[in-house]
Amino acid sequence: MFARESDAVMARLTPALREQVRAELPEVAEIRDPDLQERVVSAWCLALARSSYNSIKEIPPEGNPGSMRRIRGDQTDHIRGVTRLAIVMADELAASNPDLTVDRDIVVAGGLCHDVGKPWEFDPENRKRWEGAPRANGLPSMRHPAYGAHLCLMVGLPEAVAHIAAAHSGEGELLVRSLENTIVHTADIGYWSMMLAGGVIDPGTVAGKYKRPLSL
């Protein structure tokens, strides 16, 4: 699964890291398929091993670097919050709409992996490189949805999960989202909207799409 990785990355892909990811994202246990569970854990292990972060908890609690920053907490609060919201919506849709088929495992895996690319986009070393030469490297070179989809496919996650990572954010406006992606996307937008309404977002970091009024 990780045969193409450098020795430095491989050295970080330890059983201890897998246990840590499971501890930081306990909703992994909500996935019924044990193989899918393992691949979600693998995606996060690879994301961390390729970054300067040692833990998901070290990643700032922001939607994008410098944007929609929670006053306190860490990135696990967002990932877990979105995943739990998505689970509730998926379960309600399945219970109240018998003609609607929702793949619950894909919703959970997609919720947990929707921001798996953030260690790349938030990494201080990457930010320094991009900000030092944006015309040469981009700023960023790619956003977390694109990098997250890459990670998902690298560890053999289903295309449906990679699709959620790739298109849960603005990139998804360029295509048709799956039902499971739509659930995670709605949970993600709803999470930040409710955090803002609850007064736990730093006012100086509110993204334009969340500001009111939306138009004059």
Side-chain angles (χ1 to χ4, degrees):
M1 185 179 296
F2 302 121
R4 302 175 186 173
E5 298 303 318
S6 69
D7 290 344
V9 170
M10 290 297 293
R12 299 185 66 190
L13 294 170
T14 63
L17 182 59
R18 298 187 71 83
E19 292 177 10
Q20 176 187 307
V21 167
R22 281 184 173 271
E24 291 182 342
L25 301 176
E27 287 73 21
V28 168
E30 288 280 343
I31 300 172
R32 294 161 183 161
D33 180 345
D35 180 67
L36 187 57
Q37 280 193 23
E38 291 301 322
R39 292 181 189 277
V40 166
V41 173
S42 293
W44 270 106
C45 286
L46 185 57
L48 291 171
R50 284 180 165 185
S51 78
S52 62
Y53 293 113
N54 295 307
S55 165
I56 305 170
K57 290 180 176 290
E58 293 178 358
I59 304 171
E62 303 171 350
N64 291 298
S67 174
M68 298 302 286
R69 182 186 302 123
R70 282 179 51 132
I71 293 172
R72 63 183 59 85
D74 59 65
Q75 193 62 222
T76 64
D77 295 309
H78 172 65
I79 296 163
R80 297 184 63 200
V82 168
T83 301
R84 291 196 297 268
L85 286 171
I87 289 171
V88 170
M89 288 193 287
D91 288 346
E92 172 56 29
L93 286 171
S96 60
N97 297 276
D99 295 328
L100 193 63
T101 301
V102 181
D103 191 323
R104 191 179 191 273
D105 267 7
I106 294 298
V107 169
V108 182
L112 291 170
C113 288
H114 80 281
D115 278 346
V116 72
K118 279 188 174 178
W120 166 267
E121 187 176 354
F122 281 67
D123 192 304
E125 295 179 9
N126 287 340
R127 302 300 304 179
K128 182 178 179 179
R129 184 176 70 257
W130 298 331
E131 291 166 4
R135 293 186 180 275
N137 300 319
L139 181 59
S141 60
M142 65 187 82
R143 281 183 9 99
H144 67 270
Y147 193 74
H150 161 70
L151 291 172
C152 289
L153 296 174
M154 280 288 295
V155 302
L157 277 164
E159 181 181 5
V161 176
H163 166 66
I164 293 173
H168 71 276
S169 193
E171 289 82 350
E173 304 306 315
L174 302 175
L175 46 78
V176 177
R177 291 186 177 98
S178 68
L179 172 58
E180 290 76 17
N181 192 346
T182 300
I183 292 170
V184 174
H185 164 71
T186 303
D188 190 30
I189 295 296
Y191 175 92
W192 290 119
S193 298
M194 288 182 279
M195 293 299 104
L196 180 58
V200 298
I201 300 296
D202 180 342
T205 69
V206 178
K209 68 180 178 180
Y210 293 99
K211 291 180 179 178
R212 298 295 185 270
L214 294 178
S215 61
L216 297 177

Short mmCIF file of all heavy atoms in Angstrom, two decimals, residues 10-44:
data_model
loop_
_atom_site.label_atom_id
_atom_site.label_comp_id
_atom_site.label_asym_id
_atom_site.label_seq_id
_atom_site.Cartn_x
_atom_site.Cartn_y
_atom_site.Cartn_z
N MET A 10 8.01 6.08 5.46
CA MET A 10 7.76 4.71 5.92
C MET A 10 8.09 4.55 7.40
O MET A 10 7.41 3.82 8.12
CB MET A 10 8.59 3.74 5.09
CG MET A 10 8.14 3.58 3.64
SD MET A 10 6.46 2.90 3.48
CE MET A 10 6.70 1.24 4.11
N ALA A 11 9.13 5.24 7.85
CA ALA A 11 9.53 5.13 9.26
C ALA A 11 8.45 5.66 10.20
O ALA A 11 8.39 5.25 11.37
CB ALA A 11 10.84 5.88 9.48
N ARG A 12 7.62 6.57 9.69
CA ARG A 12 6.57 7.15 10.53
C ARG A 12 5.28 6.33 10.50
O ARG A 12 4.38 6.57 11.32
CB ARG A 12 6.29 8.58 10.09
CG ARG A 12 7.49 9.51 10.22
CD ARG A 12 7.12 10.94 9.89
NE ARG A 12 6.19 11.48 10.88
CZ ARG A 12 5.56 12.64 10.74
NH1 ARG A 12 5.75 13.38 9.66
NH2 ARG A 12 4.73 13.08 11.67
N LEU A 13 5.16 5.41 9.56
CA LEU A 13 3.94 4.62 9.42
C LEU A 13 4.01 3.40 10.35
O LEU A 13 4.24 2.27 9.92
CB LEU A 13 3.77 4.19 7.96
CG LEU A 13 3.51 5.34 6.97
CD1 LEU A 13 3.59 4.85 5.54
CD2 LEU A 13 2.16 5.99 7.24
N THR A 14 3.79 3.66 11.61
CA THR A 14 3.93 2.63 12.64
C THR A 14 2.57 2.20 13.18
O THR A 14 1.57 2.92 13.05
CB THR A 14 4.76 3.19 13.80
OG1 THR A 14 4.04 4.29 14.39
CG2 THR A 14 6.13 3.65 13.32
N PRO A 15 2.51 1.03 13.82
CA PRO A 15 1.28 0.64 14.50
C PRO A 15 0.83 1.67 15.54
O PRO A 15 -0.37 1.87 15.74
CB PRO A 15 1.66 -0.70 15.16
CG PRO A 15 2.74 -1.25 14.29
CD PRO A 15 3.52 -0.04 13.84
N ALA A 16 1.79 2.31 16.17
CA ALA A 16 1.44 3.33 17.17
C ALA A 16 0.69 4.50 16.53
O ALA A 16 -0.25 5.04 17.13
CB ALA A 16 2.70 3.84 17.87
N LEU A 17 1.10 4.88 15.31
CA LEU A 17 0.40 5.96 14.62
C LEU A 17 -1.02 5.52 14.27
O LEU A 17 -1.96 6.32 14.37
CB LEU A 17 1.16 6.37 13.36
CG LEU A 17 0.56 7.52 12.55
CD1 LEU A 17 0.45 8.79 13.42
CD2 LEU A 17 1.38 7.81 11.29
N ARG A 18 -1.20 4.29 13.86
CA ARG A 18 -2.54 3.79 13.55
C ARG A 18 -3.43 3.85 14.80
O ARG A 18 -4.60 4.26 14.72
CB ARG A 18 -2.48 2.37 13.00
CG ARG A 18 -1.70 2.23 11.70
CD ARG A 18 -1.84 0.84 11.11
NE ARG A 18 -3.18 0.61 10.58
CZ ARG A 18 -3.57 1.01 9.38
NH1 ARG A 18 -2.75 1.64 8.57
NH2 ARG A 18 -4.80 0.76 8.98
N GLU A 19 -2.88 3.44 15.93
CA GLU A 19 -3.64 3.49 17.18
C GLU A 19 -3.99 4.93 17.54
O GLU A 19 -5.09 5.23 18.02
CB GLU A 19 -2.84 2.84 18.31
CG GLU A 19 -2.67 1.34 18.16
CD GLU A 19 -1.81 0.75 19.27
OE1 GLU A 19 -1.52 1.48 20.25
OE2 GLU A 19 -1.42 -0.42 19.15
N GLN A 20 -3.06 5.84 17.30
CA GLN A 20 -3.29 7.26 17.60
C GLN A 20 -4.42 7.81 16.75
O GLN A 20 -5.30 8.53 17.25
CB GLN A 20 -2.01 8.04 17.35
CG GLN A 20 -2.16 9.54 17.54
CD GLN A 20 -0.92 10.29 17.11
OE1 GLN A 20 0.18 9.97 17.56
NE2 GLN A 20 -1.08 11.26 16.23
N VAL A 21 -4.41 7.50 15.45
CA VAL A 21 -5.46 7.99 14.55
C VAL A 21 -6.82 7.47 15.00
O VAL A 21 -7.81 8.21 15.04
CB VAL A 21 -5.17 7.60 13.09
CG1 VAL A 21 -6.40 7.82 12.21
CG2 VAL A 21 -3.98 8.40 12.56
N ARG A 22 -6.88 6.20 15.37
CA ARG A 22 -8.14 5.65 15.85
C ARG A 22 -8.61 6.34 17.14
O ARG A 22 -9.80 6.56 17.34
CB ARG A 22 -8.01 4.14 16.09
CG ARG A 22 -8.08 3.31 14.80
CD ARG A 22 -8.04 1.82 15.11
NE ARG A 22 -8.27 1.01 13.93
CZ ARG A 22 -9.45 0.62 13.49
NH1 ARG A 22 -10.54 0.98 14.16
NH2 ARG A 22 -9.57 -0.12 12.41
N ALA A 23 -7.66 6.67 18.00
CA ALA A 23 -8.01 7.37 19.24
C ALA A 23 -8.48 8.79 18.97
O ALA A 23 -9.40 9.28 19.65
CB ALA A 23 -6.81 7.38 20.19
N GLU A 24 -7.87 9.45 18.00
CA GLU A 24 -8.25 10.83 17.69
C GLU A 24 -9.54 10.90 16.89
O GLU A 24 -10.26 11.92 16.95
CB GLU A 24 -7.11 11.51 16.91
CG GLU A 24 -5.88 11.74 17.78
CD GLU A 24 -4.75 12.44 17.04
OE1 GLU A 24 -4.75 12.48 15.79
OE2 GLU A 24 -3.86 12.97 17.73
N LEU A 25 -9.84 9.84 16.14
CA LEU A 25 -11.07 9.79 15.33
C LEU A 25 -11.85 8.53 15.67
O LEU A 25 -11.96 7.59 14.87
CB LEU A 25 -10.73 9.82 13.84
CG LEU A 25 -9.93 11.02 13.32
CD1 LEU A 25 -9.60 10.84 11.84
CD2 LEU A 25 -10.69 12.32 13.55
N PRO A 26 -12.43 8.45 16.87
CA PRO A 26 -13.10 7.22 17.29
C PRO A 26 -14.31 6.84 16.44
O PRO A 26 -14.75 5.69 16.49
CB PRO A 26 -13.51 7.53 18.73
CG PRO A 26 -13.52 9.02 18.84
CD PRO A 26 -12.44 9.49 17.91
N GLU A 27 -14.82 7.78 15.64
CA GLU A 27 -15.95 7.46 14.77
C GLU A 27 -15.58 6.45 13.69
O GLU A 27 -16.47 5.93 13.00
CB GLU A 27 -16.51 8.74 14.13
CG GLU A 27 -17.29 9.64 15.09
CD GLU A 27 -16.39 10.37 16.08
OE1 GLU A 27 -15.17 10.52 15.80
OE2 GLU A 27 -16.89 10.82 17.12
N VAL A 28 -14.29 6.16 13.54
CA VAL A 28 -13.88 5.09 12.63
C VAL A 28 -14.63 3.81 12.96
O VAL A 28 -14.99 3.03 12.07
CB VAL A 28 -12.35 4.86 12.72
CG1 VAL A 28 -11.95 3.57 11.99
CG2 VAL A 28 -11.59 6.04 12.11
N ALA A 29 -14.90 3.59 14.25
CA ALA A 29 -15.59 2.37 14.68
C ALA A 29 -17.03 2.30 14.17
O ALA A 29 -17.64 1.23 14.21
CB ALA A 29 -15.56 2.28 16.20
N GLU A 30 -17.58 3.42 13.71
CA GLU A 30 -18.93 3.44 13.15
C GLU A 30 -18.98 2.78 11.76
O GLU A 30 -20.06 2.44 11.27
CB GLU A 30 -19.44 4.88 13.03
CG GLU A 30 -19.78 5.53 14.34
CD GLU A 30 -21.15 5.11 14.86
OE1 GLU A 30 -21.96 4.58 14.09
OE2 GLU A 30 -21.39 5.31 16.07
N ILE A 31 -17.81 2.60 11.13
CA ILE A 31 -17.76 1.95 9.82
C ILE A 31 -17.90 0.45 10.02
O ILE A 31 -17.13 -0.16 10.77
CB ILE A 31 -16.44 2.29 9.10
CG1 ILE A 31 -16.30 3.80 8.91
CG2 ILE A 31 -16.35 1.57 7.75
CD1 ILE A 31 -14.95 4.24 8.39
N ARG A 32 -18.86 -0.16 9.35
CA ARG A 32 -19.14 -1.57 9.57
C ARG A 32 -18.15 -2.48 8.85
O ARG A 32 -17.86 -3.58 9.31
CB ARG A 32 -20.57 -1.88 9.12
CG ARG A 32 -21.62 -1.18 10.00
CD ARG A 32 -22.96 -1.08 9.34
NE ARG A 32 -23.93 -0.36 10.17
CZ ARG A 32 -25.05 0.18 9.72
NH1 ARG A 32 -25.36 0.08 8.44
NH2 ARG A 32 -25.86 0.81 10.56
N ASP A 33 -17.62 -2.03 7.73
CA ASP A 33 -16.69 -2.83 6.94
C ASP A 33 -15.28 -2.68 7.54
O ASP A 33 -14.71 -1.59 7.50
CB ASP A 33 -16.70 -2.35 5.49
CG ASP A 33 -15.77 -3.12 4.58
OD1 ASP A 33 -14.88 -3.85 5.08
OD2 ASP A 33 -15.90 -2.99 3.34
N PRO A 34 -14.71 -3.75 8.08
CA PRO A 34 -13.38 -3.62 8.73
C PRO A 34 -12.28 -3.20 7.76
O PRO A 34 -11.35 -2.48 8.16
CB PRO A 34 -13.13 -5.02 9.31
CG PRO A 34 -14.07 -5.93 8.60
CD PRO A 34 -15.25 -5.11 8.22
N ASP A 35 -12.36 -3.62 6.49
CA ASP A 35 -11.34 -3.21 5.52
C ASP A 35 -11.44 -1.71 5.26
O ASP A 35 -10.41 -1.02 5.17
CB ASP A 35 -11.52 -3.98 4.21
CG ASP A 35 -10.47 -3.58 3.17
OD1 ASP A 35 -9.28 -3.86 3.38
OD2 ASP A 35 -10.85 -2.95 2.15
N LEU A 36 -12.66 -1.20 5.18
CA LEU A 36 -12.84 0.24 4.97
C LEU A 36 -12.32 1.01 6.17
O LEU A 36 -11.70 2.08 6.01
CB LEU A 36 -14.32 0.55 4.71
CG LEU A 36 -14.67 1.98 4.31
CD1 LEU A 36 -13.92 2.40 3.05
CD2 LEU A 36 -16.19 2.11 4.10
N GLN A 37 -12.55 0.50 7.36
CA GLN A 37 -11.99 1.13 8.56
C GLN A 37 -10.48 1.28 8.43
O GLN A 37 -9.92 2.36 8.67
CB GLN A 37 -12.28 0.28 9.79
CG GLN A 37 -13.64 0.40 10.39
CD GLN A 37 -13.69 -0.23 11.78
OE1 GLN A 37 -12.67 -0.37 12.46
NE2 GLN A 37 -14.88 -0.61 12.22
N GLU A 38 -9.82 0.18 8.07
CA GLU A 38 -8.36 0.18 8.00
C GLU A 38 -7.85 1.17 6.96
O GLU A 38 -6.82 1.82 7.15
CB GLU A 38 -7.85 -1.22 7.70
CG GLU A 38 -8.05 -2.22 8.84
CD GLU A 38 -7.36 -1.80 10.12
OE1 GLU A 38 -6.23 -1.24 10.05
OE2 GLU A 38 -7.94 -2.00 11.21
N ARG A 39 -8.55 1.29 5.85
CA ARG A 39 -8.10 2.19 4.79
C ARG A 39 -8.31 3.65 5.16
O ARG A 39 -7.51 4.52 4.78
CB ARG A 39 -8.79 1.83 3.47
CG ARG A 39 -8.33 0.48 2.93
CD ARG A 39 -8.96 0.10 1.61
NE ARG A 39 -8.65 -1.27 1.26
CZ ARG A 39 -7.51 -1.66 0.66
NH1 ARG A 39 -6.60 -0.75 0.33
NH2 ARG A 39 -7.30 -2.93 0.38
N VAL A 40 -9.35 3.95 5.92
CA VAL A 40 -9.53 5.31 6.43
C VAL A 40 -8.38 5.66 7.37
O VAL A 40 -7.79 6.75 7.28
CB VAL A 40 -10.89 5.44 7.16
CG1 VAL A 40 -10.94 6.74 7.98
CG2 VAL A 40 -12.03 5.42 6.15
N VAL A 41 -8.03 4.74 8.25
CA VAL A 41 -6.90 4.96 9.16
C VAL A 41 -5.61 5.13 8.35
O VAL A 41 -4.78 6.01 8.63
CB VAL A 41 -6.77 3.80 10.16
CG1 VAL A 41 -5.50 3.94 10.99
CG2 VAL A 41 -7.99 3.76 11.08
N SER A 42 -5.43 4.31 7.31
CA SER A 42 -4.23 4.40 6.47
C SER A 42 -4.13 5.76 5.80
O SER A 42 -3.04 6.32 5.67
CB SER A 42 -4.24 3.30 5.41
OG SER A 42 -4.10 2.02 5.99
N ALA A 43 -5.26 6.29 5.34
CA ALA A 43 -5.24 7.60 4.67
C ALA A 43 -4.73 8.67 5.61
O ALA A 43 -3.90 9.51 5.23
CB ALA A 43 -6.64 7.94 4.16
N TRP A 44 -5.21 8.66 6.85
CA TRP A 44 -4.78 9.67 7.81
C TRP A 44 -3.33 9.46 8.25
O TRP A 44 -2.58 10.43 8.44
CB TRP A 44 -5.72 9.72 9.02
CG TRP A 44 -6.83 10.68 8.79
CD1 TRP A 44 -8.14 10.40 8.52
CD2 TRP A 44 -6.71 12.11 8.78
NE1 TRP A 44 -8.86 11.55 8.34
CE2 TRP A 44 -8.01 12.62 8.50
CE3 TRP A 44 -5.67 12.99 8.98
CZ2 TRP A 44 -8.25 13.99 8.41
CZ3 TRP A 44 -5.91 14.36 8.88
CH2 TRP A 44 -7.19 14.83 8.60
#
